[in-house]
Amino acid sequence: MGGAWLAAVGDLTLTALLTATCAVLVFAPWLAPLLASAIAGLRSRGEAKEAAARPTELAPLAGEAAIRSRLYSASALGRPAVVRRGRLRIAMLAPPWIEVPPRGYGGIELVVAHLTDALVDLGHDVVLFAPPGSRSRAQLLTPLERPHPQVIGQALEEADHVAQALAYVENPANGRFDLVHDHSGFVALAFADRLATPMLHTLHGPFDERTYGFYARHGHKAAMVAISAAQLRAAPPGLNVVGVIPNPLRVDDWPFRREKEDFLLWIGRMSPVKGPHRAIEVARLAERPLVLAGPVQPGQERFFSEHVEPHIDGQNVRYVGEVGGELKQQLFARAAALLMPIRWPEPFGMVMIEALACGTPVIAFREGSAEEIVDDGLTGFLVADEREMARAVGRLSEIDPERCRSVARERFDVERVARAYESAYRLVVGATTRSLARSQTVPRTRTPRSAMRVARSHSSGSVAAPASVTSRPISTRTRSSAAPAAQA
Amino acid sequence: MGGAWLAAVGDLTLTALLTATCAVLVFAPWLAPLLASAIAGLRSRGEAKEAAARPTELAPLAGEAAIRSRLYSASALGRPAVVRRGRLRIAMLAPPWIEVPPRGYGGIELVVAHLTDALVDLGHDVVLFAPPGSRSRAQLLTPLERPHPQVIGQALEEADHVAQALAYVENPANGRFDLVHDHSGFVALAFADRLATPMLHTLHGPFDERTYGFYARHGHKAAMVAISAAQLRAAPPGLNVVGVIPNPLRVDDWPFRREKEDFLLWIGRMSPVKGPHRAIEVARLAERPLVLAGPVQPGQERFFSEHVEPHIDGQNVRYVGEVGGELKQQLFARAAALLMPIRWPEPFGMVMIEALACGTPVIAFREGSAEEIVDDGLTGFLVADEREMARAVGRLSEIDPERCRSVARERFDVERVARAYESAYRLVVGATTRSLARSQTVPRTRTPRSAMRVARSHSSGSVAAPASVTSRPISTRTRSSAAPAAQA
């Protein structure tokens, strides 16, 4: 992961390198010294270029400027970049829909549950805002009367939950919070520029047609953490990404097993992008049995009946439906390998780290976050297509299950992830503190980047052509988060 | 309407009377002198009672205090209560889902379209925030790229739209706005206490299981206008209701017809609460033909096929499906009467004022807003059940179609409604100006009334009993909006 970034250094702009470095600093601070000299060489060239690209009236964003000045300083990079000191008071803002941790499905809620408990274990003072029924080692506050799993994404409940939580955070009677860590959706981020408390927002979903514009318009209002560098490939420019931190799991909750059985495992939704039909082809080519696990969701019935079901024979291809709990863990632990023949830019492949935690190798197409999770030849194989995947099955004896487990623990265990978030928090809190000391502006507000269009229409029917109403032209290029370029 | 309020004066608390008066002031300022003496008599008693009920540390809300002090003053009531002066700059915040005006269905969007144009005609400077494709005499700003009719109520689009609009309103480069008039949903209201610009929020929907708690927690953040006194019967205490203003229509857009045909008209969704089956029974009892109009929406198929369809014979009972445009207008104009055998607390019955505008009497059950729209014996009849409704059909010759039309124009025409809103705006702007002059607090913030529950849970499983985290106990009783009591 770090190696891939370093290999591409020659082609990077300074901005891209700095953003990538920032991610490294948070998630892999020990890599910082390796990057220091590369940055020193590029620095003067980059600064001149940036100055030319930036409109003269636009001061750099305070938070970013502070983070950059830290990165610019080679001496700062020569020693541990993040000084670990002092207890932080963190408002953890879960979504209002599902209990934390979830009883059934709930990816974000599981991340929030693990992270919150781990931060408490690290000695931080965490207040978790989540639906009633949630359980946490942190102090739990429940703005709403109940969870709302039937209306996920609705404005009424999200605004109700978020506005109450933020009012609590900013009420002096409740003491000072260092930071809001937001997982709740969109309302909190859209209004983050009206808070005095700094916010860190974890990007949980992909950038797609629906979310891209939202993040382009509101993403600058908080510091961002991505869950993979792959996720950022589709990001709009202008995001203030302070780190790439993977989703966590508790490695000790997963059973390690050295002796694997003969079967290959595929697990996921019965969707073409997830590739159950490709897994079937791979198993056929490799002459290995295959176990398919996962739900047939509404809309997937036809694909399943045409491309998957005809191959299920109970011998070479078995289908066990949706699995959870111990059955799921045993499948992961006993499988010869997990197959990931996906064809979409998945921001984070949770099943890959679950397999690794059980000591099970992963063979994955080079899509989405696969390159960041699988070390080719060490914990599995990265391949281009079904034929290569089938060949890689023949090389599984080269992979050491112990190594899979230890890599999972080093990179994805919740304590590791919580420490990475702790570093990100300190970057954001430190940047904000400096910014406040300079500007004395509370609450922080920035010139809006709205791309709102003006149309002066009359009942006669004439509608003026759209035009920008942004009062000051702002180039977001100089602030583009180019971390993904480092992977290209 | 005003008469019903006055009749109940003897039983009212001062608070209830003041709130009712406030509504009268906005919607029927000419009634103000009639109420002045009643208020003078109750004033000293009421003040003493209020002082006792109010926690000593709680100062009255600034906005309400200013409005009340105006009401307390008999001299202020002796002359026109609202001084009409000066042009207002208004940010009109439509929802992000459907064009303004709507091409098809869109009740709120039609209200916003009519009101916005009428305010421009009154000389005000209005900026309308609405989806692309909207048409208005006001300046139109379109925060989003397109309307979103497929995701109505979703947080992403609502937060995106509202946050951009409010950022524009509060950006000094765009000039000062006197007021935000919010129709957009829930996000704007939940964050209204973080704005420097005062907000007026029109209550467009009923208070139900889903919305009651939201308004209980966030309703105090803006001034409120209800669309009927009936709507407020289910309201939580603590709302700052500055007026009851009905939905408008353009009377001149509707055809007046003196000579009616023999048939009775029912129009609405094919839902039991709307009562198409009761209309059929009424027509049978009255021995009159009936025309049913309206859609069979998803989920209504069974009710329609069991309770409506069997009676359709093309003669005595005709069904014309969903109608719009000229066909709908002709049905309204030609019908002997509109039947409203509803059994739910409908906040506002738009079809009733459409019928009246065409000179067509309305016979309605005493439910929801019917009593506020129909003058019993003058523009139609208020009845208890099907039998009474059938008897009232026999008295339709007593109703003068000219009177129906003129009442519709006096009460519901858009110019009349726009002037009522203009008065409400001035109340809110005036109250805010005084409040600001006193406190110099920008942005306005109030002690949050969150009923958020604290639970300190640990993985061991113990969950503390819920408790209030509100730092200061606040009695909302003294601020209860008791207008509905005046109708009881």
Side-chain angles (χ1 to χ4, degrees), chain B residues 22-23 25-27 67 82 84 88 179 181 199-200 202 223-226 241-245 417-432:
Chain B
C22 187
L25 271 181
V26 170
F27 184 52
I67 290 170
V82 177
R84 295 219 169 79
L88 293 170
L179 184 108
H181 186 176
M199 183 181 287
L200 179 73
T202 293
M224 297 275 151
V225 161
V241 179
V242 298
V244 175
I245 305 179
V417 166
R419 286 194 187 280
Y421 267 110
E422 184 185 41
S423 301
Y425 297 160
R426 293 200 195 281
L427 276 175
V428 175
V429 172
T432 309

Side-chain angles (χ1 to χ4, degrees), chain A residues 16-161:
Chain A
L17 182 60
L18 289 174
T19 313
T21 306
C22 187
V24 169
L25 271 181
V26 170
F27 185 53
W30 57 86
L31 286 174
L34 302 176
L35 284 168
S37 56
I39 289 175
L42 285 166
R43 186 183 165 191
S44 47
R45 178 169 71 86
E47 280 183 340
K49 202 168 158 189
E50 277 209 355
R54 200 163 53 212
T56 48
E57 83 284 7
L58 176 68
L61 293 186
E64 286 190 332
I67 291 171
R68 279 189 192 168
S69 70
R70 177 194 293 265
L71 294 171
Y72 282 148
S73 155
S75 66
L77 291 168
R79 55 185 168 76
V82 177
V83 184
R84 295 220 169 79
R85 52 176 157 58
R87 187 188 206 208
L88 293 170
R89 185 137 188 266
I90 302 152
M92 188 71 70
L93 190 49
W97 320 116
I98 295 172
E99 298 92 341
V100 173
R103 280 144 203 210
Y105 174 81
I108 295 173
E109 290 73 15
L110 196 58
V111 168
V112 172
H114 285 341
L115 176 61
T116 302
D117 283 352
L119 288 165
V120 172
D121 291 348
L122 288 175
H124 297 294
D125 180 6
V126 187
V127 177
L128 171 63
F129 297 88
S134 297
R135 304 269 297 276
S136 177
R137 288 178 208 150
Q139 183 187 3
L140 175 66
L141 292 180
T142 58
L144 303 190
E145 296 96 339
R146 59 180 182 284
H148 291 275
Q150 303 306 322
V151 292
I152 288 177
Q154 287 282 307
L156 190 158
E157 286 77 12
E158 191 172 315
D160 194 354
H161 174 81

Side-chain angles (χ1 to χ4, degrees), chain B residues 64-84:
Chain B
E64 286 190 332
I67 290 170
R68 279 189 192 167
S69 69
R70 177 194 293 265
L71 294 171
Y72 282 148
S73 156
S75 66
L77 290 168
R79 56 184 167 78
V82 177
V83 184
R84 295 219 169 79

Side-chain angles (χ1 to χ4, degrees), chain B residues 333-383:
Chain B
R334 288 161 45 207
L338 175 71
L339 302 185
M340 286 289 285
I342 60 170
R343 285 289 182 228
W344 77 294
E346 189 169 52
F348 194 82
M350 200 69 200
V351 290
M352 290 193 275
I353 69 172
E354 291 170 344
L356 294 179
C358 298
T360 300
V362 177
I363 313 179
F365 284 7
R366 291 180 190 278
E367 295 265 6
S369 60
E371 294 181 301
E372 299 168 65
I373 293 176
V374 177
D375 290 307
D376 192 29
L378 199 72
T379 59
F381 300 99
L382 295 166
V383 298

Side-chain angles (χ1 to χ4, degrees), chain B residues 23-67:
Chain B
V24 169
L25 271 181
V26 170
F27 184 52
W30 57 85
L31 286 175
L34 301 177
L35 284 168
S37 57
I39 289 175
L42 286 167
R43 186 182 165 192
S44 47
R45 179 170 72 85
E47 281 183 339
K49 203 168 160 189
E50 277 209 354
R54 201 163 52 212
T56 48
E57 83 284 7
L58 177 68
L61 293 186
E64 286 190 332
I67 290 170

Side-chain angles (χ1 to χ4, degrees), chain A residues 135-136 140-142 144-145 153-157 160 164 187 191 210 217-218 450 452-455 457 461, chain B residues 135-136 140-145 153-155 157 160 164 186-187 191 210 217-218 450 453-455 457 459 461:
Chain A
R135 304 269 297 276
S136 177
L140 175 66
L141 292 180
T142 58
L144 303 190
E145 296 96 339
Q154 287 282 307
L156 190 158
E157 286 77 12
D160 194 354
Q164 287 189 76
V187 172
F191 288 88
R210 210 172 151 216
R217 289 185 284 268
H218 306 283
S450 167
M452 193 158 20
R453 281 155 297 178
V454 188
S457 76
Chain B
R135 305 269 297 276
S136 177
L140 175 66
L141 292 180
T142 58
L144 303 190
E145 295 96 339
Q154 287 281 307
E157 286 78 12
D160 195 354
Q164 287 188 76
F186 302 97
V187 172
F191 288 87
R210 209 172 151 215
R217 289 185 284 268
H218 307 283
S450 168
R453 282 154 297 179
V454 188
S457 76
S459 50

